[in-house]
Amino acid sequence: MIIGALYEYALREGLLEDPDVEPLAVDFFLEVADDGRFLALVPTSDEEGRVPRRAVPRKPQRSGTAIVAGFFVDNAKYVLGHGGDEAKARLHPERNAAFRALVDATAKETQDPAARAVAAFLGRLDSELPRILNQRAEWTGEERLAFRWSGDDALLVHERLALRDAWRRRRSAKQEDEGPLMQCLVTGRWEPVARLHPLIKRLPNAQPQGSPLVSFNEDAFCSHGLDQGYNAPVSRSVAEGYGTALNYMLSSDGERRHRRGVALGKDAVAVFWTREAEQAVDVLLALLDAPATQQEGSSPPGVRQALHFAEAPLRGLEPAVFDYKPFYALVLGGNTARVVVREWFESSVRDLKQSLREWFDDLRLDGGKGRPLSLWGLLRSVELRGRDGTPPELASRLLAAVMMNRPLPRELLAAALRRLRVPDKDDAPGFQLYARCALIKATLLRLRRLSPQLPEVSVALDPNSPEVSYQLGRLFAVLERLQFVALGDVDASIKERYFGAAMANPGIVMPRLVRLSTHHLAKAGRERAGRLDRVIGQIMSQFPAEVWPNTLTLESQGLFAVGYYHQREDLFKKAAPAEPATAES
C-alpha cells in the first residue's frame, strides 16, 4: 500500500516522465575544450550556498565497496579519482578507470564530439589534475561533477541528444539482461523486478549515502532460494518511482528542510501527500512546521494560508470545502543500513481538515493570539535540558493524535509537567510556558472525551472553577506576583524554588507560601499590592484550607499548571498599564 501510493504520487507529479534521469544536486560544472583541455571548474551554488538540482542519468546502485560508475555525472572519487580520507582512497584508481571506460565506450559508440572531448580530458587527467584541485581548498570526494563542453552554450554533456539515447539503450539492455520476470506486487503485471531497491536519503540516523526501504541483506530474511528483492517482487519501474517520490519529498526546498515533510524531533521525519493535488497538504506542512512566532506579514504564502485556516473558527469562517480525496502520511527514521517505517496513516482530506481544526481548537489558550503552534515547537518545548530531542515514538504518536483526532499520549502530559518544574534559561520562557500549557490543555480535553467525569478546561481564566487544583495554580501565580512586587527580581523566586513541589504536593508547600506572603504584603504595602491581596482572598474563599490535597494526580497537576498560566496572563493584562514602573523596578 505504501509503495503503491508513493508510485502514484510520482506519476502524478511527473517525476517519471523520463525514467532514465532523476533530479540531483550538481555541485560543479567541469568545462573542457575539444582536445580535452581543462578550462574551468564552475561552482553552481548561489550566494546562500544552495545547490540547484539538475536532471542527471540515474545513479547506479552501489552496494558496499562495489565499483559502478555513473553515466558522465558522478562524484569526485569517480570523475577525478580524488577526495576523501586517504585510508579509503585505495579504490580511487579503480573508480576512475570504471568511469573512464564508460565514457570511452560511449564516445566510440556515438562519435559525439562532446563525449570525445570528455574522453580526451580523462586521457590527460594526470597532467590536468593539479590545476583542477587548486580550484578548491578541500575535496571531500562527494562533490558531484557534470561536464560542459566548450562547443555548447547551455547544455551539459549528458543532456545532448546522442548521449541521452545512448544512456537509454544502455539501461534497456541492462534491464533485459538482469533479473527474472515476476509478478509485481504493486501493479500485478509480469515485469522485470528490482533486485536492489533505491536508496532513500536525508533521513536521520540513516547512512549518508542513503538506505533502502526494502532490503533482504541476510540469508535469514530470504525464502525459496530467492535472492534480495526477488523475495518481495516489485518491478523496477515501481521501485524507481517510489524511490524518486520519497527522495523528492525529503529533499530541501528553499528555506524548508523537507519539501513535503516535517521533522519530528531529531530521529524521525513525516511526509504527507494526497492521491490528487490538494492545497490542504501545503496548509498542513505550514501548520505543523512553521515557527509560531512568525509574523503573518512576513510569512511565505503557505504559512499565511495556515494562519487563516487555524484562525477561521475565531472569525466564523469555513476554512475550505470538505472532500474525500485520499490522504497519506508516512513517518520514517533510519537505523544505519535500513529505513524504519514508524507510522503509516491513510485518511481523507475531509477528515484531515476536521482533525486539524479540532487540534488547534484544543490547543487554544488565552494569550496565544490565535496563532497556530507548530509540532516542532511543541516537541521542543517539552525536551528536557541537556537531552537531544524527544523519543521518536512519542513524536509519531503525537502526529497520529493530531491527524487522526486521537487522545494524546499521557507521556506528553508527564513530559510537559516535568519540563515545567525546571526553570527556563532560554530566550523565550513566556512562549515555552504557553506552549507547554497549551499541550497540557489539549491532553486533558482529549482525555475528558474518553472519561467525561474529568473536569472541563477553559480557554481563559475561570475564577469560579470548582476544581481545587486549578484554584491552587491560580493562587501560586498570585503569590509569585506578590513576591515580585515586594522584592523585584530575586536570584531564586518561589516559582523557581517551589513550583514543582507545589504542583505535586500542594498540601505541604502551599500553606508555607501563604504564610510567606504576609511578609511580602507588608513589604510591598497595601497601596501597591492591595489588588493582589484581594485576589488571594477571592481564591481562598473558593475552598477551605483543610481540603488542600497533599498530593495531586497527573491530570490534577495539569489543571494546576493551566490555572497558574490563566491567572498569570490575567495579572499581566490588568497590571501592566497600572503599575509598569513598579513591575520593572
Side-chain angles (χ1 to χ4, degrees):
M1 184 65 209
I2 297 175
I3 291 177
L6 287 167
Y7 179 59
E8 288 178 352
Y9 177 82
L11 292 175
R12 191 197 82 197
E13 291 294 313
L15 301 177
L16 301 179
E17 288 181 357
D18 186 348
D20 299 316
V21 300
E22 61 182 331
L24 290 177
V26 176
D27 300 290
F28 295 96
F29 296 151
L30 212 162
E31 292 187 357
V32 297
D34 289 344
D35 57 0
R37 279 181 297 110
F38 165 68
L39 297 178
L41 183 71
V42 182
T44 62
S45 59
D46 60 16
E47 294 177 351
E48 297 178 354
R50 291 176 297 197
V51 179
R53 301 164 74 85
R54 299 285 292 245
V56 302
R58 284 191 177 274
K59 284 179 57 182
Q61 292 283 340
R62 293 169 183 153
S63 179
T65 58
I67 295 177
V68 190
F71 189 77
F72 281 80
V73 179
D74 214 319
N75 61 38
K77 296 174 186 174
Y78 278 84
V79 177
L80 304 178
H82 182 83
D85 108 34
E86 293 185 3
K88 298 180 181 177
R90 59 183 176 80
L91 295 178
H92 286 356
E94 292 179 57
R95 292 180 177 125
N96 182 248
F99 186 80
R100 182 178 173 182
L102 183 56
V103 170
D104 288 344
T106 307
K108 186 176 179 181
E109 173 192 344
T110 62
Q111 292 300 312
D112 183 83
R116 290 205 305 267
V118 175
F121 164 79
L122 294 172
R124 56 192 297 170
L125 181 61
D126 290 343
S127 60
E128 298 284 9
L129 189 58
R131 290 177 57 206
I132 300 172
L133 298 184
N134 286 337
Q135 306 290 315
R136 182 172 167 80
E138 184 179 359
W139 290 82
T140 65
E142 300 300 328
E143 301 87 353
R144 184 170 291 115
L145 304 170
F147 285 94
R148 189 158 65 188
W149 175 47
S150 59
D152 282 330
D153 290 333
L155 278 182
L156 299 179
V157 173
H158 69 268
E159 294 172 341
R160 293 173 63 82
L161 181 60
L163 297 188
R164 286 164 51 194
D165 290 342
W167 174 236
R168 188 173 299 115
R169 289 194 299 273
R170 185 174 291 274
R171 267 177 51 91
S172 299
K174 186 177 179 183
Q175 290 179 357
E176 290 172 1
D177 292 341
E178 290 183 356
L181 286 178
M182 299 178 76
Q183 188 172 23
C184 175
L185 295 176
V186 177
T187 63
R189 296 191 295 266
W190 287 81
E191 299 176 86
V193 298
R195 179 177 176 274
L196 298 176
H197 283 240
L199 302 179
I200 310 302
K201 301 177 182 176
R202 297 179 64 82
L203 285 175
N205 302 326
Q207 293 176 332
Q209 68 271 27
S211 300
L213 180 64
V214 180
S215 67
F216 297 83
N217 58 345
E218 297 287 348
D219 291 342
F221 306 149
C222 301
S223 57
H224 302 291
L226 296 173
D227 184 33
Q228 289 282 356
Y230 304 148
N231 287 276
V234 173
S235 69
R236 290 198 188 97
S237 58
V238 172
E240 288 179 353
Y242 89 75
T244 302
L246 264 183
N247 283 320
Y248 175 77
M249 287 192 272
L250 290 168
S251 63
S252 61
D253 181 21
E255 296 181 354
R256 290 193 57 82
R257 185 177 176 186
H258 301 292
R259 186 184 300 270
R260 280 288 181 271
V262 174
L264 301 179
K266 297 183 182 298
D267 297 315
V269 176
V271 293
F272 314 97
W273 72 100
T274 52
R275 183 176 295 174
E276 302 166 37
E278 172 53 54
Q279 193 180 38
V281 175
D282 296 330
V283 174
L284 174 66
L285 289 168
L287 283 174
L288 299 181
D289 204 24
T293 54
Q294 214 164 12
Q295 297 300 314
E296 181 177 2
S298 61
S299 303
V303 176
R304 287 200 292 274
Q305 292 171 4
L307 294 174
H308 287 297
F309 183 90
E311 293 171 349
L314 299 177
R315 300 176 178 178
L317 302 174
E318 180 62 34
V321 177
F322 286 175
D323 59 52
Y324 292 90
K325 291 175 188 168
F327 166 80
Y328 308 105
L330 181 61
V331 182
L332 298 171
N335 184 7
T336 311
R338 295 175 184 279
V339 173
V340 180
V341 177
R342 299 194 180 281
E343 290 282 358
W344 162 248
F345 310 106
E346 183 179 358
S347 180
S348 69
V349 172
R350 170 189 176 280
D351 292 340
L352 170 68
K353 289 177 177 175
Q354 187 64 29
S355 296
L356 287 177
R357 290 187 63 181
E358 294 198 23
W359 165 246
F360 287 107
D361 199 40
D362 288 346
L363 278 180
R364 187 165 293 115
L365 264 182
D366 191 25
K369 301 179 182 178
R371 300 295 184 190
L373 283 166
S374 71
L375 205 62
W376 173 85
L378 288 171
L379 288 170
R380 189 165 177 265
S381 72
V382 300
E383 284 180 8
L384 279 179
R385 288 168 57 191
R387 294 282 185 87
D388 195 14
T390 52
E393 62 276 10
L394 187 61
S396 301
R397 292 173 64 191
L398 172 60
L399 181 67
V402 173
M403 293 196 302
M404 302 297 160
N405 200 15
R406 298 175 184 167
L408 290 162
R410 288 182 89 244
E411 291 93 322
L412 272 176
L413 176 60
L417 293 172
R418 189 165 54 241
R419 191 61 187 83
L420 279 174
R421 296 188 183 100
V422 183
D424 278 307
K425 299 295 183 185
D426 52 29
D427 297 332
F431 171 76
Q432 297 297 340
L433 175 66
Y434 164 65
R436 289 164 195 150
C437 290
L439 192 56
I440 290 170
K441 171 178 175 277
T443 307
L444 295 177
L445 284 176
R446 294 197 172 199
L447 286 174
R448 189 172 184 272
R449 291 170 194 162
L450 297 177
S451 306
Q453 71 276 13
L454 291 175
E456 181 63 76
V457 189
S458 58
V459 173
L461 179 67
D462 180 9
N464 299 317
S465 170
E467 294 303 318
V468 174
S469 52
Y470 180 84
Q471 297 291 354
L472 286 170
R474 289 185 59 205
L475 179 59
F476 191 95
V478 182
L479 296 178
E480 179 193 22
R481 182 69 178 176
L482 178 59
Q483 183 194 40
F484 179 78
V485 172
L487 307 177
D489 279 324
V490 294
D491 290 339
S493 67
I494 64 169
K495 165 75 166 41
E496 292 165 330
R497 296 179 63 185
Y498 297 111
F499 186 80
M503 190 164 54
N505 306 105
I508 300 171
V509 178
M510 293 301 289
R512 180 180 175 184
L513 295 180
V514 172
R515 288 195 297 273
L516 184 64
S517 70
T518 59
H519 302 292
H520 293 158
L521 187 61
K523 185 172 181 60
R526 291 283 174 187
E527 184 178 350
R528 294 171 58 198
R531 188 174 69 86
L532 295 176
D533 189 33
R534 289 193 295 275
V535 176
I536 291 174
Q538 292 167 2
I539 294 173
M540 295 185 66
S541 66
Q542 300 281 333
F543 52 91
E546 54 267 24
V547 304
W548 291 10
N550 283 333
T551 59
L552 292 180
T553 63
L554 208 59
E555 288 77 11
S556 296
Q557 290 183 44
L559 274 178
F560 183 103
V562 175
Y564 167 78
Y565 173 82
H566 280 165
Q567 187 63 58
R568 187 173 179 271
E569 284 295 309
D570 189 69
L571 289 174
F572 275 130
K573 281 193 293 188
K574 292 178 179 175
E579 45 185 6
T582 302
E584 297 299 325
S585 63

